[in-house]
Amino acid sequence: PTIIDRAVAWSAKHSTCPAGDPDLHHYIGELLYKEGAFDAAEPHFLASGKRDSARLLAQMMVDWSAVGGLPGNFALRGTLPYLENGNILAARTFIIQFVNKMVSSRPSLASPLQTSPLPVTDSSDVIFTTDNVLNFCQLAVLNCQRAQGDKNKATRECWLRLCGTYQSKGGILASKEVHSVLIDIATLYFAIPPPRTQPDNPLGAMLSSMLGGGAPGGVPQRRVLTPGLISPPTPGLD
């Protein structure tokens, strides 16, 4: 293992953060970013979860996209991991910074159908672009901000419609990997159970169900955020 690996492992062992100290991850990510090692810096910014890390990750993704690639693909790499980790604050910081910087550097990304930011709440705007994935990321973060588990039927339906609409367009949002992450996010924020898959032993599953038991082999427990604890900033993430 490298000195970075050893430092992170030590901080994970001696701090309250299982992934390692957020400040250490931010410091390592910033060093690697300045060295041009974008792929190595990325997981450290994501593991840090700090707003400053989200801002730097956004700038790094803008720089990275200049080398080649669709902006939306880079937006997903920052937005979905933060959301999947329950870090709304970092996800929101990242996507706002990323979209603003991308549109500033590439004015052609701005949608001619919506020339000014569209106010969604008193403190949130959506900048519609010609990239469907960028639009999806912005709307996904806003929808997750309003989530209240299974307590708010409207936000649950909005999430399902949002995913259905954008995934029907094909592309990366319809890929197996992204679809799997969106299922996890749906469970985490909206308490939407994952789609049932065909069990390995249909007869055994049926008998177990009839007898009041679960499916053979058990199903991993899925995380669900507590309603009311989704929107406020998480302590220690500043």
Side-chain angles (χ1 to χ4, degrees):
T2 65
I3 188 171
I4 289 177
D5 296 331
R6 290 196 294 270
V8 170
W10 184 91
S11 73
K13 183 178 180 181
H14 294 89
S15 75
T16 57
C17 300
D21 182 70
D23 289 317
L24 177 62
H25 275 297
H26 178 84
Y27 176 73
I28 294 170
E30 188 172 13
L31 284 179
L32 293 170
Y33 170 31
K34 289 178 178 178
E35 292 176 359
F38 297 166
D39 56 339
E42 179 182 10
H44 291 287
F45 285 139
L46 292 172
S48 170
K50 295 165 66 72
R51 274 183 290 185
D52 284 345
S53 297
R55 293 186 189 103
L56 269 183
L57 180 63
Q59 182 59 61
M60 188 183 81
M61 290 300 186
V62 171
D63 296 346
W64 204 349
S65 70
V67 180
L70 298 173
N73 293 2
F74 290 96
L76 282 177
R77 292 175 70 153
T79 305
L80 295 190
Y82 281 140
L83 286 180
E84 196 173 19
N85 201 36
N87 194 340
I88 280 282
L89 182 62
R92 184 170 183 266
T93 300
F94 169 82
I95 195 60
I96 289 174
Q97 294 283 322
F98 183 79
V99 172
N100 280 318
K101 291 176 185 295
M102 283 302 310
V103 172
S104 294
S105 62
R106 301 189 200 178
S108 60
L109 270 176
S111 172
L113 302 177
Q114 182 70 38
T115 55
S116 59
L118 180 66
V120 178
T121 67
D122 291 340
S123 59
S124 300
D125 295 330
V126 170
I127 299 176
F128 276 102
T129 71
T130 55
D131 187 316
N132 283 331
V133 183
L134 278 183
N135 297 338
F136 172 81
C137 287
Q138 294 179 82
L139 295 170
V141 170
L142 287 173
N143 207 26
C144 287
Q145 274 187 277
R146 298 168 56 228
Q148 292 182 307
D150 59 359
K151 308 299 182 186
N152 190 329
K153 185 178 179 181
T155 58
R156 299 177 92 204
E157 291 177 350
C158 283
W159 175 260
L160 293 173
R161 286 200 300 269
L162 176 67
C163 291
T165 298
Y166 279 90
Q167 287 182 311
S168 68
K169 301 176 186 292
I172 193 170
L173 290 175
S175 68
K176 182 179 178 181
E177 294 78 11
V178 172
H179 182 65
S180 177
V181 173
L182 294 179
I183 288 174
D184 288 341
I185 290 173
T187 302
L188 182 63
Y189 291 89
F190 306 99
I192 298 173
R196 298 186 64 178
T197 55
Q198 183 71 15
D200 294 332
N201 183 353
L203 180 59
M206 181 180 70
L207 290 173
S208 179
S209 176
M210 290 172 62
L211 295 173
V219 178
Q221 186 71 30
R222 288 181 174 263
R223 298 176 302 147
V224 178
L225 292 178
T226 303
L229 296 181
I230 295 174
S231 297
T234 304
L237 291 180
D238 191 10

